[in-house]
Amino acid sequence: METKVKVRIYGQDYTIAGDRDEETIRDIAAYVDGKMKEIGRNFTSMSAQGSLAVLAAVNVADEYFQAQEQIQSLSEAKEQLEKDAQHYLKMWDEAKKSFLQYKESAAKNSEEKKEAEERYQKLQDKCSEFENSFFDLQMENIKLKNELDKYRRRDE
């Protein structure tokens, strides 16, 4: 839908038609008017009116090109940030995976430690049993030696 708006630029009335809304067209016209007034302050003669419009257009074009360069620079920065974000997300996923592997390994090691401690305790218990049996056998041995000594002395 084409919008027609009457505007005043550098003292002259114009009807501007465009696809933009009325407020935007007025803002654009006000911007051009401001540029022309800014440049016009440097001209004292009225004969430079044609040059004024060209200089205003050149200034606006320069600003446009600077904006385009800035857009390009921002686009490149955005692209780099997206790459960096993907890289860091990948690193995060790898860190999570490593952590889960570490956690599983730690759980497995903990279970193995528990089993080893249980085996150790069983071996200690057996060792205690063997010590007790050994002690009992020594006591029995001493008794038998004493009896044997008694029999020997009797026989002598």
Side-chain angles (χ1 to χ4, degrees):
M1 180 174 114
E2 187 172 83
T3 305
K4 290 185 178 183
V5 181
K6 282 192 174 194
V7 295
R8 186 168 195 86
I9 299 175
Y10 206 65
Q12 272 193 290
D13 291 328
Y14 296 92
T15 300
I16 298 178
D19 292 334
R20 304 283 194 125
D21 61 85
E22 183 176 337
E23 184 179 343
T24 302
I25 292 172
R26 288 191 187 283
D27 288 344
I28 292 168
Y31 182 78
V32 171
D33 183 55
K35 278 292 174 187
M36 289 186 74
K37 286 179 181 175
E38 180 183 316
I39 293 168
R41 285 186 214 120
N42 296 324
F43 289 96
T44 53
S45 72
M46 293 302 267
S47 65
Q49 294 283 333
S51 298
L52 178 65
V54 171
L55 289 174
V58 168
N59 279 321
V60 170
D62 180 49
E63 289 175 0
Y64 170 78
F65 279 96
Q66 286 178 9
Q68 288 297 100
E69 288 172 3
Q70 189 175 18
I71 288 169
Q72 179 63 33
S73 175
L74 291 172
S75 292
E76 290 170 3
K78 176 185 171 254
E79 201 174 292
Q80 184 60 46
L81 287 173
E82 287 173 350
K83 286 180 185 177
D84 290 348
Q86 288 300 319
H87 173 73
Y88 291 125
L89 285 174
K90 183 179 177 184
M91 286 177 61
W92 174 251
D93 287 341
E94 289 172 2
K96 284 194 312 189
K97 186 177 178 181
S98 292
F99 175 74
L100 290 175
Q101 288 173 343
Y102 167 78
K103 192 175 175 183
E104 289 172 7
S105 177
K108 182 180 175 185
N109 289 341
S110 177
E111 185 63 33
E112 288 174 357
K113 179 184 175 203
K114 184 178 175 185
E115 290 172 4
E117 286 174 345
E118 289 173 0
R119 282 194 312 264
Y120 176 75
Q121 186 60 45
K122 286 180 183 179
L123 289 173
Q124 267 191 327
D125 291 345
K126 274 200 180 220
C127 195
S128 291
E129 284 178 34
F130 287 143
E131 285 175 352
N132 289 339
S133 293
F134 180 72
F135 181 74
D136 289 346
L137 287 173
Q138 280 182 327
M139 293 303 290
E140 183 72 26
N141 192 19
I142 289 173
K143 280 183 188 178
L144 288 172
K145 277 185 182 181
N146 285 339
E147 277 184 42
L148 183 61
D149 282 343
K150 276 185 192 178
Y151 285 124
R152 280 190 188 158
R153 274 188 251 150
R154 227 200 281 168
D155 284 339
E156 298 181 353

